[in-house]
Amino acid sequence: MKKTILTGIKPTGRVHLGNYIGVIKPALELAKIDEYQTAYFIADYHGLINIHDAKELRELSYGIAATWLALGLDPNKSLLYRQSDIPEILELNWILSCFVSKGMMNRAHAYKAKVEKNLQSGIEVDSGVNIGLYNYPILMSADILMFKTDTVPVGKDQVQHVEITRDIAENFNRTYRDTFKLPEFLIQEQGSILPGLDGRKMSKSYGNTIPLFEEPNKLQKLINRIVTDSKPPEEPKNPNTSTLFTIYKEFVSQEEALRMSENFLNGISWGEVKQELFIVLNKALGGPREKYYEMIANPKVIDEILFDGAKKARAIAIPFLKEVKKQIGL
Ligand code: TRP
């Protein structure tokens, strides 16, 4: 039996370099390994928690599909689908919700962070929290458990959700017989948390991102905005504390990274580093970027690929859900 590797991306913003380095790039590597069945999906029902504009949600969803395809994901080898095309996931979502304590959801970090913020601002604790946000980890558990997932490649912030998934599965398995497989998470090492324009973690919520497929002139402008210190060109600089270098090294060979770190130590101007970073990024992403815009202009082609993926995914989900329903007496 092949091991199943599954991950989802929420369509809540343009895919940025942080998403790429943290999840997409390693997931693409895993997709090339024959021993794995990979399943990558667009978590559009998760997106609905935040995005209440139909056009925006639709376009962001196409954007994620096109990103995977432009970067070379082979939909004949990997499952690529929209969460909302698999209604069985929502049925499982309800079933699982009956095996989750409310206390566990109170402790889930996205909800907890919102509550803490509300408390600090002196407003009602649950202000601005919809039940979708509160139930977020249950739907994510359904995504994962439905496909007997072995490994979930995620960003660090999602580890708790995979642990919750394990708890829910264990709870169910204890009540009935072993039904769900307990998934493991897979995170990128510490070093590869990508800093954004301001040096904090690159994240949509900080507004400090570099979109993966930004046009060249805008890409150049964003790179120019990356914060540096005010050291003059000849002064030695530490590559390891530099956002520019952290991004740079993700896109070049080890030798090139070494050469650049020597340049830092010997003294190089920030302007030059920025120029080099632009050249490297533009070269690495130019091809996929072209493909991406081609796909985006042809959403029908994307739809066909996604429907096909959903068909294959449902061929797994439908019989498994039936089995689960039988277990619980439905
Ligand atoms: N919560 C994930 C995120 O925000 C997206 C997601 C939804 C997901 N369902 C999933 C990730 C299942 C992995 C597995 O990044």
Side-chain angles (χ1 to χ4, degrees), residues 21-297:
I21 297 300
V23 176
I24 299 177
K25 193 173 160 219
L28 286 167
E29 291 301 320
L30 292 167
K32 287 188 201 142
I33 302 172
D34 264 343
E35 289 84 78
Y36 299 142
Q37 170 63 61
T38 45
Y40 301 143
F41 68 95
I42 300 142
D44 50 358
Y45 273 136
H46 278 111
L48 184 63
I49 294 168
N50 307 98
I51 310 280
H52 292 176
D53 177 302
K55 184 167 175 276
E56 193 184 357
L57 186 60
R58 191 175 304 120
E59 285 175 359
L60 288 170
S61 297
Y62 280 133
I64 290 170
T67 299
W68 283 112
L69 294 165
L71 291 167
L73 185 77
D74 178 355
N76 294 314
K77 276 180 74 186
S78 301
L79 290 174
L80 178 67
Y81 56 90
R82 272 190 202 100
Q83 183 185 38
S84 64
D85 284 336
I86 324 282
E88 291 74 25
I89 292 173
L90 286 193
E91 282 192 69
L92 184 60
N93 173 72
W94 178 263
I95 295 170
L96 295 176
S97 75
C98 301
F99 293 83
V100 182
S101 69
K102 182 167 172 285
M104 183 148 69
M105 290 302 98
N106 289 341
R107 291 186 291 275
H109 69 74
Y111 170 67
K112 219 171 115 185
K114 188 93 193 178
V115 165
E116 272 160 20
K117 213 167 146 204
N118 284 344
L119 283 174
Q120 269 171 16
S121 326
I123 47 181
E124 202 259 319
V125 280
D126 281 330
S127 178
V129 176
N130 64 40
I131 288 290
L133 174 68
Y134 190 70
N135 285 351
Y136 186 115
I138 308 176
L139 179 56
M140 184 158 158
S141 302
D143 292 329
I144 296 170
L145 297 176
M146 181 63 100
F147 297 99
K148 302 191 172 81
T149 304
D150 294 278
T151 308
V152 189
V154 278
K156 238 187 172 168
D157 58 324
Q158 297 297 315
V159 168
Q160 188 200 23
H161 294 150
V162 181
E163 283 166 348
I164 290 174
T165 303
R166 290 175 65 94
D167 277 353
I168 298 175
E170 274 180 313
N171 203 2
F172 188 101
N173 288 353
R174 223 180 293 118
T175 312
Y176 305 93
R177 63 173 179 75
D178 267 2
T179 304
F180 294 118
K181 185 174 260 176
L182 304 192
E184 310 276 348
F185 58 81
L186 176 70
I187 48 170
Q188 282 302 95
E189 294 142 38
Q190 193 88 29
S192 42
I193 286 193
L194 210 73
L197 299 175
D198 56 359
R200 291 188 291 173
K201 177 188 174 222
M202 190 180 288
S203 164
K204 206 199 78 176
S205 38
Y206 294 148
N208 64 356
T209 66
I210 300 178
L212 186 59
F213 294 132
E214 192 60 281
E215 304 155 25
N217 57 345
K218 285 195 188 156
L219 177 63
Q220 174 98 65
K221 279 194 188 129
L222 285 175
I223 290 173
N224 289 340
R225 272 178 50 198
I226 295 176
V227 289
T228 59
D229 55 30
S230 51
K231 287 200 174 110
E234 63 284 358
E235 199 172 319
K237 301 174 178 67
N238 182 356
N240 301 319
T241 54
S242 160
T243 298
L244 292 168
F245 183 74
T246 308
I247 299 175
Y248 181 84
K249 76 171 171 10
E250 293 290 341
F251 289 88
V252 295
S253 67
Q254 266 184 354
E255 296 82 66
E256 285 168 298
L258 192 67
R259 189 184 49 81
M260 181 55 95
S261 67
E262 278 163 5
N263 288 343
F264 267 68
L265 299 174
N266 294 332
I268 181 172
S269 76
W270 290 125
E272 257 180 279
V273 182
K274 286 182 170 176
Q275 190 53 29
E276 276 241 28
L277 177 61
F278 170 72
I279 291 169
V280 159
L281 281 182
N282 201 39
K283 188 164 155 236
L285 298 170
R289 181 170 57 215
E290 221 170 277
K291 226 175 142 202
Y292 172 84
Y293 284 108
E294 231 172 75
M295 301 225 66
I296 287 293

